[in-house]
Amino acid sequence: MTRTPPQRLLALAQLSNSVGDGAYYTTSALYFTQIAGLAPARVGLGLTVGWAVGSLAGVPLGRLADRRGPRGTAVLLALATGLAVASFTLVRGFVPFVLVACGYAAAQSGLAAARQALLAGLVSAGERTGLLARLQATLNAGLAVGAGLGGLALHAGTRTAYLAVFVVDSVSFLVCALLLLGLPRVAPVPVRPRGRGLGVLRDRPYALVALLNTVLLLRLPLLSLVLPLWITSRTGAPAWLVSALFVLNTAAVTVFQVRAARGVTGLGSATRAVRRSGWVMCAACAVFALSAGASPGVAAGVLVLGAVLQVAAEMGQSAGSWQLSFDLAPADRVGEYQGFFGTGVTVARTAGPLILTWLLVEWGTPGWLLLGGVTLAASYAMGPAARRAAVGRGNDEVGRPSPVS
């Protein structure tokens, strides 16, 4: 009997829970406010607290994956995530909502770190970025399918329809756990003692790389929050363009992410990809700024051009950051380091809406130009930061990377 290749099982696991997540993301806010009866401000506060806790939990849960084995840890965390999603259907007050949100976010953050450690144990260093690109494309495809299912629930607008979405998401994580269980076992890596506490928190060069990556990730709320507000308040473009830009982004990543990551094979190519993405993102910000006050047709065309540049920058930055996050992590602490690196996404999604709404929607064109400049500066700083981290790590742990440019 032929075993399913690990790469395919990882992709199927990614597809499974991304379909459920796509449906959940589309409907959860309205479920919590209209069905569970929570005030919108309390929903926002509860989710912020939850993701803050989740960002803190990613590091110790990643370390658990290193010490106990990433496959078993990932399976347990996938089951915990599914249980948390199901628990949301029982929430009737603010405190229970916050508790479940904390459990959900912690399980999600830990699952992401454990899966990265599992991938590192199953796939050679030279193949990781390419596989991550394929997984990202699969993720986007799954989210699109899930968003369609969520749209059906929104159209129905009934309690039963909303609950069905949560059941689908919960089951999707059960399927994910079963698929991960079918992967080969990755033995725990003996962790060399490096003093008390979590080693990654004392690794300042790696922390700097992670911080710069967090700055580059501030773009995350652009598509879901900032551009919809910008389009409706600062341009004459039709509101339906918001949906069109989302579809454009999702389709582009699904089709082109693998190609964008093809040339990223070491630290040198990774820092070059990040630097190029900084220039492209800077150009995207300048183009978005030009849409202010333009006629509907002109504004729509400018916004589409800006969105094309933005997704190109996103794909390049993603490929470069994946390579850096693995190559600069010690071989015996991949889960722990991935858990720390992954907090950048949580921080960007938590702080990004507040920062970018004020910077771009309130301040306008100068804000766009400032964002572009900060992004470009962070992308150029990544090279020296990665070089310093690589020198401190040594080639034996980096996996013989190409020279950092």
Side-chain angles (χ1 to χ4, degrees):
M1 181 177 178
T2 304
R3 290 180 63 88
T4 304
Q7 293 89 336
R8 183 173 296 178
L9 282 175
L10 286 168
L12 290 173
Q14 182 77 287
L15 179 64
S16 171
N17 70 253
S18 63
V19 169
D21 277 346
Y24 168 82
Y25 294 149
T26 305
T27 59
S28 58
L30 291 180
Y31 170 81
F32 293 137
T33 55
Q34 297 182 5
I35 306 300
L38 298 171
R42 289 201 160 195
V43 172
L45 176 60
L47 293 177
T48 298
V49 172
W51 283 112
V53 171
S55 67
L56 296 176
V59 174
L61 289 174
R63 193 179 198 189
L64 179 66
D66 293 328
R67 289 190 166 184
R68 302 298 182 186
R71 188 188 68 172
T73 305
V75 169
L76 290 176
L77 288 171
L79 293 174
T81 306
L83 179 61
V85 172
S87 298
F88 275 128
T89 63
L90 305 177
V91 165
R92 293 296 179 272
F94 178 65
V95 173
F97 171 69
V98 173
L99 293 176
V100 175
C102 289
Y104 171 78
Q108 280 273 47
S109 297
L111 176 59
R115 285 167 81 159
Q116 297 290 69
L118 182 59
L119 183 150
L122 294 173
V123 181
S124 64
E127 299 176 345
R128 290 171 190 166
T129 297
L131 177 57
L132 282 167
R134 291 193 290 275
L135 293 178
Q136 184 66 26
T138 302
L139 170 67
N140 274 42
L143 289 175
V145 173
L149 296 176
L152 295 176
L154 292 175
H155 178 71
T158 64
R159 177 184 178 84
T160 301
Y162 282 113
L163 291 177
V165 166
F166 281 78
V167 171
V168 167
D169 194 22
S170 184
V171 171
S172 77
F173 280 97
L174 174 60
V175 174
C176 173
L178 293 175
L179 290 167
L180 293 175
L181 194 60
L183 288 166
R185 180 178 178 272
V186 175
V189 179
V191 180
R192 287 172 285 177
R194 303 185 184 190
R196 295 181 179 179
L198 299 173
V200 67
L201 300 182
R202 300 192 310 275
D203 191 338
R204 293 181 181 178
Y206 190 90
L208 178 58
V209 171
L211 175 62
L212 291 172
N213 186 64
T214 302
V215 173
L216 297 175
L217 287 174
L218 285 175
R219 59 170 170 76
L220 289 177
L222 274 179
L223 203 61
S224 61
L225 176 66
V226 177
L227 279 176
L229 296 175
W230 175 263
I231 289 171
T232 55
S233 65
R234 291 278 194 152
T235 78
W240 56 261
L241 189 64
V242 172
S243 177
L245 295 183
F246 180 84
V247 172
L248 170 66
N249 181 279
T250 303
V253 173
T254 301
V255 175
F256 296 112
Q257 179 67 79
V258 174
R259 185 178 302 177
R262 195 165 292 160
V264 180
T265 57
L267 291 178
S269 55
T271 55
R272 287 192 293 272
V274 171
R275 189 162 59 241
R276 284 194 300 269
S277 75
W279 279 108
V280 178
M281 189 64 201
C282 187
C285 289
V287 170
F288 281 135
L290 292 175
S291 65
S295 63
V298 172
V302 170
L303 288 165
V304 169
L305 175 60
V308 170
L309 292 171
Q310 186 269 326
V311 73
E314 173 187 334
M315 291 186 290
Q317 187 266 327
S318 295
S321 67
W322 293 331
Q323 189 77 35
L324 293 171
S325 70
F326 277 109
D327 279 1
L328 297 175
D332 60 340
R333 294 173 180 261
V334 173
E336 177 186 332
Y337 272 61
Q338 288 297 315
F340 180 72
F341 202 84
T343 60
V345 175
T346 305
V347 171
R349 290 199 180 279
T350 303
L354 178 63
I355 295 172
L356 295 190
T357 300
W358 170 79
L359 188 66
L360 304 179
V361 180
E362 298 297 329
W363 205 13
T365 298
W368 281 109
L369 299 179
L370 178 59
L371 176 63
V374 169
T375 300
L376 184 60
S379 69
Y380 263 80
M382 189 67 84
R387 185 184 304 115
R388 182 185 173 199
V391 169
R393 184 72 56 238
N395 283 352
D396 60 325
E397 289 186 338
V398 173
R400 295 185 181 183
S402 57
V404 180
S405 59

